[in-house]
Amino acid sequence: MNDSQDPVFLSTLRVGADRFAVLHPKVTRDADGARVLRSVLMKPESETYVEQLRRRLERLARS
């Protein structure tokens, strides 16, 4: 959200490992919890932006 030219608005939810395991029993536990990332694309014209947003989020996560 800090990029004034092209901000990305996301919300996250922190879920403890026990709760996450109840919801996703096939996932192997390797941490004490999980952070769930959510970005809502409400407008139909956003459909073409999904792949670009995914790549950008991966770059941001690595930095």
Side-chain angles (χ1 to χ4, degrees):
M1 293 186 331
N2 296 332
D3 185 337
S4 63
Q5 299 299 312
D6 190 18
V8 175
F9 297 95
L10 303 168
S11 63
T12 61
L13 171 68
R14 179 87 170 116
V15 182
D18 292 336
R19 180 70 179 138
F20 193 84
V22 169
L23 297 171
H24 304 281
K26 294 181 180 181
V27 174
T28 302
R29 252 188 235 200
D30 63 354
D32 63 349
R35 184 171 304 275
V36 179
L37 175 67
R38 182 177 76 123
S39 179
V40 179
L41 303 170
M42 300 282 294
K43 299 182 282 185
E45 56 268 21
S46 297
E47 184 176 357
T48 60
Y49 182 66
V50 172
E51 183 58 25
Q52 180 182 344
L53 178 60
R54 182 194 63 77
R55 287 191 305 267
R56 185 156 175 226
L57 290 175
E58 285 183 357
R59 283 193 308 271
L60 289 169
R62 289 185 194 120
S63 62

